[in-house]
Amino acid sequence: MVYFREYACEVSDFHGIKHIAGKGGLFRRLFWLLCFLSALGVFLWQTVLLFFFYFEDHHITKVDVSYESSLVFPAVTVCNFNKYRESALTEDDIKNVGIHLGIIDEDHNLIYPTLYTEEFQNKIASVNWTGVEEDDNYNMTDFQLRTGHQIDDMIIECTWRGEECEDEYFTHIFTHLGNCYTFNKYSSDSDLLTSPAAGPANGLKLMLDIETEEYVPSNDLDGGASDSGVMVMVHDATEPPYVKEFAMPVGPGFHTFISMRHESITALPSPYTDCETDGGIEHYDHYSLQACRIECETNIVVEACGCKLIEQPGTEPNCNPNTTHECAHPQLVDAIHGVSEFGSCNCGSPCKAEVYPITMASTKLRSAFLEKIFQEKTSFDHNASYIEENVVALSVYYEALNYETIEQIPAMDTYTLLATVGGNMGLFIGAGLLTLVQLLEYFLDEILSLCGITRDNERDEVAVFCGCRKKNKTDDSSKSPGGESDNNGQPLAWTSA
């Protein structure tokens, strides 16, 4: 402790140190020692807590609302609850797929004849089944495309911002519900539609005929045959729809209003959250919850059956009718329920997502009034009873022309940690970054002194440089009365100022 008193009294910026090493009495010095140690203890305690908090990876959520003059309209995917149309089923379809769909038995008799129209019953009864060949590689893509509901038959009326929709606004896609149609799907060849104002007048309006008389009383994907209507999913235009699980049902005889908001969500990746950045997605441009579920289910079906369903992505061959309904569909249902022996689809939320929370409300359609309107303005010629059972009116629009930006940020980043530690250091012990440099210098001096190396000469030179002492020229000791000589009898060149 050679230099402690000098360091405490003349160098250190630590609060209280000079009083501990000063000329005060013992009691006063002990008092200041106690105060300094208490402040140091509080500072160290707070610093430990800060580091624990920092390494626990806490985050906070920042929400901001932005107002725009126009917003990009999302994609809207519509699917009929019914997958196959009764009138579109041919003899070959019934022969190759009918047993798997639960339409006929092995003797080619209708299993539930009263559930079908009389025309269809007569059609089945009149077929000479011995002359119809069974094809083990029956084209399921053509079968679904042909027997599913057609857009020209479904859409009675479509308007976008009050103007009649163009054909290019809709894109056909396959989903677990068969033929589906997406409005405003992203394409590199065209721009997405935008909405310049909020409200139904600046959105999408659809009048749909769900054709309940065409419903086939069977379902190959675990439920849904007892329902009529459409499934509607509002989603980002760049993401695939996952209609069976994420869409909302809309029934006939009502005008359903879907108002939506736009939220842009940015989550922090690991270690802050368990969100996914890419998730190993192969067949889509970026990760999304829908893309993950679709690809995961595809992998399960391919692993279990050696083929994929027509709505699933990839280059694997499509399953034939037997494999589709005996292997692929049961495996798909198990995967949806999370009980597949070939794995589970644990898809996390994406770190970056564009979502559209919706609010739904509906009102009863005036069937008798619409009957007259349709007769005058369209080729749709059906009575009020048919309209009540088959017509779905749908309006999709923004409820406000703004969007929320929801962003997760670290509760404490490195800069905040350093700033907080520095603030506590200054508050409790009066120290800063350069104070730590002073402390390191002091320890270095003490270590050198233990090795027999002193800094007296260095101190003298620094004193002269700073003007604390003056250098006098002397010829010899006789010319400097009262001067001192060194051990060799030479006069000293340094005197006190």
Side-chain angles (χ1 to χ4, degrees):
M1 305 292 285
V2 177
Y3 302 109
F4 176 72
R5 183 179 295 273
E6 177 186 353
Y7 170 78
C9 296
E10 299 180 9
V11 179
S12 174
D13 293 328
F14 283 111
H15 288 175
I17 289 290
K18 64 178 61 179
H19 299 288
I20 298 174
K23 298 180 180 180
L26 179 61
F27 177 78
R28 177 175 295 183
R29 294 167 66 183
L30 290 176
F31 171 76
W32 278 104
L33 177 63
L34 178 62
C35 291
F36 177 77
L37 292 179
S38 299
L40 180 62
V42 174
F43 163 69
L44 294 177
W45 174 60
Q46 289 291 326
T47 302
V48 170
L49 293 180
L50 284 172
F51 273 91
F52 272 117
F53 186 81
Y54 175 77
F55 286 107
E56 286 173 353
D57 301 314
H58 294 280
H59 66 269
I60 58 178
T61 302
K62 174 185 175 183
V63 180
D64 190 21
V65 179
S66 300
Y67 296 87
E68 301 290 341
S69 58
S70 64
L71 288 178
V72 174
F73 204 77
V76 180
T77 299
V78 179
C79 306
N80 201 309
F81 266 107
N82 183 56
K83 196 170 183 179
Y84 313 105
R85 293 177 297 145
E86 182 185 277
S87 65
L89 296 173
T90 65
E91 297 174 4
D92 289 331
D93 296 334
I94 300 299
K95 180 71 173 181
N96 289 279
V97 189
I99 295 178
H100 304 296
L101 294 180
I103 298 175
I104 60 173
D105 57 23
E106 295 181 354
D107 297 324
H108 305 101
N109 297 316
L110 290 173
I111 297 177
Y112 302 105
T114 58
L115 299 180
Y116 299 88
T117 62
E118 184 177 351
E119 179 182 358
F120 190 73
Q121 295 180 43
N122 295 332
K123 177 181 178 179
I124 297 300
S126 64
V127 176
N128 179 14
W129 293 106
T130 58
V132 181
E133 296 183 359
E134 185 173 354
D135 185 359
D136 291 336
N137 296 314
Y138 200 66
N139 191 328
M140 293 298 292
T141 302
D142 174 73
F143 167 71
Q144 177 59 75
L145 187 62
R146 178 171 41 81
T147 61
H149 290 267
Q150 307 300 304
I151 189 170
D152 293 335
D153 299 328
M154 282 184 61
I155 296 182
I156 303 171
E157 184 179 272
C158 173
T159 59
W160 163 248
R161 294 172 51 191
E163 301 290 335
E164 185 177 352
C165 295
E166 299 179 14
D167 293 340
E168 63 188 32
Y169 290 170
F170 288 91
T171 303
H172 171 272
I173 60 169
F174 286 126
T175 74
H176 297 333
L177 295 181
N179 289 352
C180 295
Y181 303 94
T182 298
F183 174 83
N184 198 35
K185 185 178 185 295
Y186 171 77
S187 172
S188 58
D189 299 330
S190 60
D191 296 329
L192 295 174
L193 299 174
T194 59
S195 183
N202 289 279
L204 171 68
K205 183 178 180 181
L206 289 171
M207 298 287 286
L208 304 174
D209 180 6
I210 64 172
E211 303 176 298
T212 54
E213 77 281 0
E214 293 279 12
Y215 276 37
V216 175
S218 63
N219 190 283
D220 50 7
L221 274 182
D222 192 34
S226 61
D227 302 319
S228 65
V230 294
M231 295 288 280
V232 180
M233 181 176 177
V234 179
H235 57 97
D236 187 73
T238 63
E239 297 176 355
Y242 190 76
V243 180
K244 183 169 177 60
E245 294 297 304
F246 297 153
M248 300 297 293
V250 178
F254 292 90
H255 187 173
T256 301
F257 296 85
I258 300 180
S259 62
M260 61 185 176
R261 295 177 290 108
H262 182 193
E263 293 181 354
S264 180
I265 301 176
T266 304
L268 289 171
S270 180
Y272 295 95
T273 68
D274 295 327
C275 71
E276 294 284 351
T277 53
D278 54 27
I281 296 299
E282 299 179 2
H283 303 292
Y284 299 98
D285 292 336
H286 62 275
Y287 179 89
S288 66
L289 189 58
Q290 302 98 284
C292 176
R293 287 288 297 269
I294 292 171
E295 289 204 359
C296 175
E297 293 170 2
T298 300
N299 294 335
I300 290 175
V301 170
V302 170
E303 183 179 356
C305 309
C307 58
K308 67 177 183 66
L309 296 170
I310 61 171
E311 64 266 26
Q312 294 178 329
T315 58
E316 293 79 7
N318 293 331
C319 298
N320 60 28
N322 182 68
T323 309
T324 293
H325 295 91
E326 300 303 323
C327 178
H329 279 172
Q331 287 296 333
L332 179 59
V333 171
D334 288 346
I336 292 173
H337 293 163
V339 294
S340 173
E341 61 180 308
F342 292 92
S344 58
C345 296
N346 300 318
C347 295
S349 298
C351 294
K352 177 68 175 178
E354 304 293 328
V355 299
Y356 298 87
I358 63 173
T359 302
M360 300 179 66
S362 61
T363 182
K364 186 73 174 176
L365 287 175
R366 295 173 59 192
S367 303
F369 174 77
L370 287 176
E371 177 184 359
K372 299 176 182 179
I373 295 296
F374 287 149
Q375 289 174 351
E376 293 179 2
K377 296 185 176 182
T378 69
S379 59
F380 185 82
D381 187 16
H382 292 286
N383 57 32
S385 176
Y386 182 91
I387 292 174
E388 189 169 339
E389 294 293 327
N390 290 273
V391 174
V392 172
L394 184 67
S395 293
V396 185
Y397 55 92
Y398 278 113
E399 67 178 39
L401 211 62
N402 58 49
Y403 70 93
E404 291 184 358
T405 302
I406 303 174
E407 181 181 6
Q408 292 181 345
I409 57 177
M412 178 172 290
D413 56 19
T414 303
Y415 298 106
T416 305
L417 174 67
L418 294 177
T420 307
V421 171
N424 287 342
M425 187 185 299
L427 174 65
F428 291 107
I429 56 178
L433 182 62
L434 294 182
T435 308
L436 299 181
V437 176
Q438 294 174 348
L439 187 61
L440 291 175
E441 181 189 28
Y442 164 70
F443 284 128
L444 179 62
D445 288 340
E446 292 288 357
I447 293 172
L448 291 176
S449 68
L450 294 177
C451 300
I453 302 174
T454 63
R455 58 182 179 89
D456 290 341
N457 295 336
E458 177 186 355
R459 232 179 13 250
D460 291 339
E461 292 178 4
V462 172
V464 172
F465 179 81
C466 297
C468 297
R469 296 188 180 185
K470 297 179 180 179
K471 183 176 182 180
N472 296 325
K473 294 183 178 181
T474 57
D475 296 328
D476 51 39
S477 57
S478 62
K479 296 181 181 180
S480 300
E484 298 179 352
S485 300
D486 60 14
N487 295 333
N488 296 322
Q490 298 296 325
L492 290 176
W494 303 86
T495 60
S496 298

